[in-house]
Amino acid sequence: MYLWGSHLDGLENFTHEFNKSIDFDKILFEEDIIGSLAHVKMLSKVGIITQNEEKIISRELQNILDEIKEGKLEINLKEEDIHSFVENELTKRVGVVGKKLHTARSRNDQCALDLRLYSKKSLKEIKIKLLELIETIIDLAEKNIETIMPGFTHMQHAQVTTFAHYILSYAQMFCRDLNRLEDTFNRLDENPLGSCALVTTSFNIDRFMTSKLLGFKKPTENSMDSVSDRDYVLEILFNNSVIMTHLSRLCEELIYFSSSEYNFVKFSDKFSTGSSIMPQKKNPDMAELIRGKSGRCYGDLFALFTVLKGTPLSYNKDFQEDKEPLFDSIKTVFNSLKIMKGILNTIYINKEKMKNSAEKGFLNATDLADYLVLKGIAFREAYSVVGQIVNYSIEKNLKLEDISLKKYKEFHKVFEKDLYDFITIEKSLENRNVYGGPAKDAVNIQINNLKNFISKIK
């Protein structure tokens, strides 16, 4: 039975299948019933239904909720949507009293309410996973504060850093993701229930009461906007896309760091697979899947952008298409964060290989230029001198620290024996004790700041 159609003949079978949404919006059964429980309690409080009617409806709604959770009641997928199923099941159990539940509301504000409740719950779940991942990164950083590795720009060896400094850059990205999540949560934390179809109702309802019962900070301000607003869904999809971008970047780097050419890290067998034909292979499939699934989230975002761009006020059936992208995106991000935490918890760091790599490629060239500047040489002149020294080193297959002092003085007279202490990779890191830098003290400050951030946001 449809919740509409007293003057309509009904849909053909194929049209009904095309129209219905219960196959995917059944996931909202708890939110739908929780919203109905608050609504019926408010109806009783303002005198629209009796206290006894409220008691009967609330009792049976709670029974329906418990039975679905316990697996005793199966959602009927022949219904149009989850709202129809719950109301029809209620009416089947309590008779005509159940038909009073829908007084002073519409499926329009009911849909909007269910989706906001689901979004709030989902954002809390993603927040927990983000916090867990940041804590995992902090733990990994604390164990690798002195793990020297090359830093890259343009995929080329650039300057010396540590694995702690490197991996903490992702903690900063995920902190920004958390901040965006919090901002979105704050904007969507408004109650659309009572907006009805588009212009509220002639009944004297109390929207502030239902807002309090449902845990919203306040009712929405404009009923037409309330039933048609899906900005918060777009925000969630955008936020999720950014999270997946960060995860994908990390996966990309770990994948090539794990290759035989780098051999910086090794994935645990728990997060790898083998080849069906090459027995020696160990493939980083979980990281590759996260990288690939980022495309799903981008698609979910642009799918909803496309749905919303041509919808006039107020509610339109197009909005039925908001749910599948949202459900898919949230599931993808939640699972990806969970897998990423597992990858980092079990990854092996090849400290010796990283340090050996950092000792190659003239990563201390900038330090040599800085040395000249400290001796009073203008930076551009120092840059030119060091460029000549690097060319000489490449020609002679030497590291900068292998060149004799006599040869250094041929490039510039200010070079002294102390240059050798200045250009070691250890000294290079120690000298970069700037706020936000890779030196041990600077990294410890960053770690403490992250821990303070986490304690405040939890």
Side-chain angles (χ1 to χ4, degrees):
M1 184 183 74
Y2 308 125
L3 298 183
W4 52 270
S6 60
H7 64 294
L8 301 176
D9 292 334
L11 300 175
E12 296 179 2
N13 287 339
F14 176 76
T15 315
H16 171 64
E17 289 298 316
F18 185 74
N19 181 66
K20 74 175 187 174
S21 58
I22 196 165
D23 292 317
F24 51 85
D25 70 18
K26 62 185 178 183
I27 194 174
L28 299 173
F29 73 88
E30 185 169 8
E31 286 77 15
D32 196 73
I33 294 174
I34 288 172
S36 292
L37 284 167
H39 181 66
V40 77
K41 189 169 185 178
M42 180 275 296
L43 292 179
S44 172
K45 180 73 181 299
V46 300
I48 295 174
I49 64 172
T50 68
Q51 290 183 354
N52 187 54
E53 288 170 332
E54 180 223 329
K55 184 177 180 181
I56 293 170
I57 294 172
S58 295
R59 181 193 66 227
E60 211 51 53
L61 282 172
Q62 188 63 54
N63 286 340
I64 292 170
L65 177 58
D66 293 341
E67 289 173 25
I68 295 174
K69 285 184 173 181
E70 294 166 7
K72 296 177 181 178
L73 175 62
E74 187 175 344
I75 295 174
N76 181 6
L77 299 183
K78 293 182 180 180
E79 294 279 8
E80 183 180 353
D81 51 36
I82 191 60
H83 323 296
S84 303
F85 169 75
V86 172
E87 187 169 336
N88 289 338
E89 181 67 23
L90 174 68
T91 304
K92 183 170 70 177
R93 295 184 181 204
V94 302
V96 70
V97 174
K99 296 181 178 182
K100 296 189 176 185
L101 170 63
H102 206 55
T103 307
R105 76 173 182 185
S106 163
R107 270 198 305 182
N108 294 358
D109 61 345
Q110 197 177 353
C111 287
L113 171 66
D114 290 1
L115 206 58
R116 282 182 186 254
L117 289 173
Y118 172 85
S119 296
K120 287 179 65 177
K121 179 181 72 175
S122 298
L123 288 184
K124 289 176 182 177
E125 292 170 350
I126 291 174
K127 174 182 176 180
I128 291 170
K129 288 301 170 190
L130 274 171
L131 286 169
E132 289 177 354
L133 181 57
I134 294 170
E135 289 173 330
T136 298
I137 290 173
I138 290 172
D139 182 62
L140 191 57
E142 287 180 322
K143 294 174 182 176
N144 289 279
I145 289 178
E146 297 181 0
T147 300
I148 294 171
M149 70 174 288
F152 298 83
T153 62
H154 307 278
M155 287 292 291
Q156 305 294 317
H157 282 212
Q159 291 180 282
V160 178
T161 186
T162 64
F163 187 80
H165 188 236
Y166 157 74
I167 199 65
L168 285 171
S169 66
Y170 283 96
Q172 298 298 331
M173 297 182 204
F174 295 129
C175 284
R176 293 195 295 273
D177 293 332
L178 271 173
N179 284 330
R180 275 186 288 269
L181 185 153
E182 293 279 296
D183 290 342
T184 297
F185 188 95
N186 184 58
R187 272 187 290 276
L188 76 85
D189 192 20
E190 297 181 0
N191 174 29
L193 188 61
S195 299
C196 296
L198 71 161
V199 290
T200 70
T201 177
S202 58
F203 290 98
N204 185 32
I205 61 172
D206 188 345
R207 297 188 64 210
F208 288 90
M209 177 183 174
T210 53
S211 297
K212 185 175 181 180
L213 289 172
L214 292 167
F216 288 101
K217 64 183 179 183
K218 63 188 284 289
T220 50
E221 293 291 329
N222 183 288
S223 60
M224 292 184 71
D225 177 58
S226 301
V227 297
S228 63
D229 171 30
R230 295 298 184 272
D231 289 1
Y232 64 93
V233 183
L234 283 174
E235 283 193 43
I236 293 170
L237 296 177
F238 172 78
N239 295 343
N240 285 350
S241 295
V242 177
I243 292 171
M244 290 303 295
T245 298
H246 294 155
L247 290 173
S248 183
R249 292 181 70 185
L250 176 55
C251 286
E252 170 77 1
E253 289 175 342
L254 294 179
I255 287 165
Y256 68 68
F257 282 165
S258 71
S259 68
S260 54
E261 283 73 18
Y262 282 89
N263 197 26
F264 285 0
V265 302
K266 185 181 294 184
F267 287 92
S268 164
D269 291 350
K270 295 179 180 179
F271 296 94
S272 307
T273 65
S275 166
S276 63
I277 190 173
M278 295 169 283
Q280 83 282 7
K281 289 287 296 298
K282 183 176 179 179
N283 301 324
D285 281 6
M286 300 306 109
E288 290 175 354
L289 275 172
I290 291 174
R291 186 176 60 183
K293 286 178 181 293
S294 61
R296 292 179 70 109
C297 287
Y298 304 160
D300 291 331
L301 172 61
F302 280 95
L304 189 59
F305 262 128
T306 306
V307 168
L308 295 179
K309 71 176 182 62
T311 51
L313 287 174
S314 55
Y315 184 83
N316 300 272
K317 190 69 170 182
D318 310 50
F319 296 152
Q320 183 167 293
E321 293 299 310
D322 60 6
K323 296 171 187 63
E324 289 181 285
L326 179 63
F327 299 161
D328 179 69
S329 179
I330 286 172
K331 180 181 178 181
T332 300
V333 169
F334 183 88
N335 290 339
S336 296
L337 288 168
K338 184 177 180 180
I339 292 293
M340 193 73 250
K341 175 188 172 184
I343 289 174
L344 294 182
N345 268 330
T346 58
I347 201 163
Y348 168 74
I349 311 298
N350 191 338
K351 299 181 180 182
E352 183 180 358
K353 187 65 171 66
M354 283 185 173
K355 185 176 180 182
N356 289 341
S357 181
E359 290 173 340
K360 302 173 183 177
F362 309 105
L363 302 191
N364 49 357
T366 304
D367 300 278
L368 189 59
D370 291 344
Y371 172 87
L372 289 172
V373 171
L374 290 173
K375 295 290 186 177
I377 308 302
F379 178 78
R380 279 303 164 198
E381 181 184 351
Y383 178 93
S384 176
V385 170
V386 172
Q388 297 172 41
I389 296 171
V390 168
N391 287 336
Y392 171 80
S393 300
I394 293 172
E395 180 184 339
K396 299 297 183 181
N397 195 27
L398 295 171
K399 294 189 288 188
L400 295 181
E401 51 267 43
D402 294 335
I403 300 172
S404 69
L405 179 59
K406 181 181 178 180
K407 187 64 183 179
Y408 267 116
K409 283 186 173 292
E410 291 180 14
F411 289 103
H412 206 291
K413 62 183 180 180
V414 301
F415 280 117
E416 299 292 343
K417 191 175 181 180
D418 61 348
L419 78 89
Y420 295 104
D421 291 330
F422 199 85
I423 63 174
T424 64
I425 56 176
E426 290 82 6
K427 190 68 174 179
S428 176
L429 286 170
E430 183 183 328
N431 286 341
R432 283 164 173 75
N433 196 22
V434 177
Y435 190 89
K440 185 176 181 179
D441 289 345
V443 169
N444 278 323
I445 289 172
Q446 184 184 170
I447 288 173
N448 288 332
N449 289 344
L450 284 167
K451 287 180 177 179
N452 289 334
F453 170 82
I454 288 172
S455 66
K456 290 178 182 177
I457 205 169
K458 271 187 171 179

